[in-house]
Amino acid sequence: MIRSLTGILLALLLPVLGGLADPALASPARIKDLVEVDGVRGNDLLGYGLVVGLDNSGDSLRNSPFTEDAIVNLLERLGVNVTGEQIRARNVAAVLVTATLPAFSRAGSQIDVTVSAIGDARSLLGGTLVMTPLNAADGQIYAVAQGSIIAGGIVAEGEAASVTQGVPTSGLIPSGARVEREVAFDFTQSRDIRLALRNPDFTTAARMEAAINQNVGARVARMLDAGTVRLDLAAVGIDTPALLMAQIENIEVQTSTRARVVVDQRSGTIILGSDVRISRVAVTQGSLTLSVEETPLVSQPNPFADGRTVVVPRTDAQITEDPGNGLAIVENSVSLPQVVAGLNALGVSAGDMIDILKSIKAAGALHAEFIVQ
């Protein structure tokens, strides 16, 4: 067994950093992609229902008694008397149905629903969701779902083994619910529209205010804070808020965000912004390797002789230290993308690169928000 223990994980960067281009500025984005309109939001829906038509992969009614109760209630509503009967169906599964009612949805429109098993069903593949009312947080029914399920995986099994790919106990019904009730929201009565930035930033909000006012030709937009820009309909002479939103939502704004470095240690993923910078810092790189090898010796007596078999442990342990690339100075104004490019050129692994970034941050030379997931 060989384990690599990283010591001071920093690299000689100067020979490979020269000539690298500066990071490009962020591309402009449309206002509709940067903001949410205050009051214009979706509503979560939830329902409990039954999936039928499964190929012997549904709930076992002994372990999921609520499924049997739901079957009895459903059949009795349909006029079938099953009182006192023993139901042992394996082609039915109890599920929770979730959906989001989009803003401005009207009665009769259709939305997607997600179906997830809550019992011990093995798969929902090939099943059909029976008519299921979907309630919002106020307890009112806003949609009714029904349809064939597209399962997200598959399961196969034999006498002694089984194999599962994906998640067969969850699936999707595209356009599987029909809206029955509309959310009471009159957008035409809005006199002041507030745009909420998804990523609050003072610079982006100020640029958005200037771009809107320049496009409309009047001071209709006003920045309230880093995350809010207010639109005043009285200043522009447009009676319908929807017309104003249609006029400004495609305006492009140069965004500005905080410098961030996001690393995921489990997958070795590193995400960084172009605004990340490091200060003047001295770096080096080296590693320590421990090699532990077990070669046990088995001693056993001769045939038909008295004695017993004995296992004698034998261990060979060694420590090897990599001298590294020496100490070097990284000058000011070196961007982190250039640092990562240099590390890639030196063949540094993703795990070592994450540790290097941690060390630079601990030294106070990394000027960015460091997020570890």
Side-chain angles (χ1 to χ4, degrees):
M1 178 180 60
I2 298 178
R3 298 177 180 176
S4 296
L5 300 180
T6 305
I8 304 175
L9 291 175
L10 298 170
L12 183 61
L13 304 175
L14 295 182
V16 295
L17 291 179
L20 293 177
D22 291 334
L25 293 177
S27 300
R30 298 177 302 176
I31 289 180
K32 66 166 61 179
D33 300 323
L34 298 176
V35 303
E36 299 284 354
V37 180
D38 187 21
V40 179
R41 53 180 293 274
N43 293 273
D44 295 327
L45 304 179
L46 176 66
Y48 170 80
L50 291 175
V51 172
V52 299
L54 302 176
D55 185 14
N56 201 34
S57 61
D59 293 338
S60 59
L61 301 184
R62 176 176 299 179
N63 296 330
S64 304
F66 47 84
T67 305
E68 183 176 3
D69 294 339
I71 295 175
V72 172
N73 294 333
L74 174 62
L75 294 177
E76 288 183 348
R77 289 200 307 268
L78 296 176
V80 180
N81 187 7
V82 292
T83 303
E85 299 292 336
Q86 295 292 329
I87 301 176
R88 291 293 179 264
R90 284 286 295 171
N91 58 353
V92 182
V95 295
L96 286 180
V97 184
T98 58
T100 299
L101 182 65
F104 307 121
S105 294
R106 299 307 176 197
S109 59
Q110 294 178 311
I111 58 176
D112 299 340
V113 297
T114 301
V115 181
S116 304
I118 60 174
D120 58 352
R122 299 192 309 275
S123 175
L124 300 180
L125 183 65
T128 300
L129 177 68
V130 179
M131 184 184 300
T132 303
L134 302 180
N135 303 79
D138 59 1
Q140 300 294 324
I141 297 176
Y142 284 84
V144 176
Q146 182 171 278
S148 300
I149 299 174
I150 301 176
I154 189 173
V155 58
E157 60 182 8
E159 293 294 335
S162 63
V163 60
T164 302
Q165 181 177 1
V167 184
T169 55
S170 180
L172 178 71
I173 306 180
S175 302
R178 193 178 304 277
V179 177
E180 301 292 342
R181 182 195 298 266
E182 300 177 3
V183 177
F185 176 67
D186 191 359
F187 189 59
T188 60
Q189 299 301 319
S190 301
R191 296 295 92 189
D192 289 333
I193 303 175
R194 294 194 303 175
L195 306 180
L197 276 70
R198 296 190 178 99
N199 296 309
D201 182 81
F202 285 105
T203 302
T204 303
R207 291 173 179 172
M208 186 177 300
E209 173 190 334
I212 294 174
N213 292 335
Q214 180 179 2
N215 180 272
V216 176
R219 187 169 177 76
V220 61
R222 179 184 178 187
M223 182 183 69
L224 301 182
D225 51 47
T228 310
V229 175
R230 190 182 69 179
L231 304 179
D232 185 8
L233 268 69
V236 69
I238 297 179
D239 295 333
T240 306
L243 290 177
L244 177 60
M245 289 303 304
Q247 181 177 347
I248 70 170
E249 67 178 0
N250 289 313
I251 299 175
E252 292 187 342
V253 177
Q254 186 75 37
T255 61
S256 176
T257 58
R258 296 182 60 183
R260 287 190 179 94
V261 178
V262 182
V263 299
D264 188 341
Q265 290 184 312
R266 292 170 295 181
S267 62
T269 303
I270 302 174
I271 306 296
L272 53 98
S274 60
D275 294 329
V276 177
R277 294 291 184 270
I278 65 172
S279 298
R280 181 182 177 91
V281 62
V283 298
T284 186
Q285 189 269 340
S287 62
L288 194 66
T289 302
L290 271 64
S291 176
V292 181
E293 183 178 0
E294 296 284 356
T295 55
L297 178 64
V298 180
S299 176
Q300 57 183 1
N302 294 327
F304 306 107
D306 294 335
R308 60 189 180 88
T309 302
V310 177
V311 179
V312 181
R314 296 176 60 185
T315 303
D316 182 17
Q318 297 180 355
I319 299 178
T320 304
E321 184 176 2
D322 186 356
N325 296 317
L327 191 67
I329 301 296
V330 178
E331 299 295 341
N332 286 328
S333 302
V334 176
S335 65
L336 196 60
Q338 292 174 320
V339 173
V340 174
L343 296 176
N344 285 331
L346 292 174
V348 179
S349 65
D352 289 350
M353 192 181 301
I354 292 174
D355 289 335
I356 291 173
L357 299 180
K358 285 183 180 179
S359 300
I360 297 177
K361 179 65 176 179
L366 176 60
H367 304 299
E369 182 182 2
F370 195 81
I371 303 174
V372 180
Q373 297 180 344

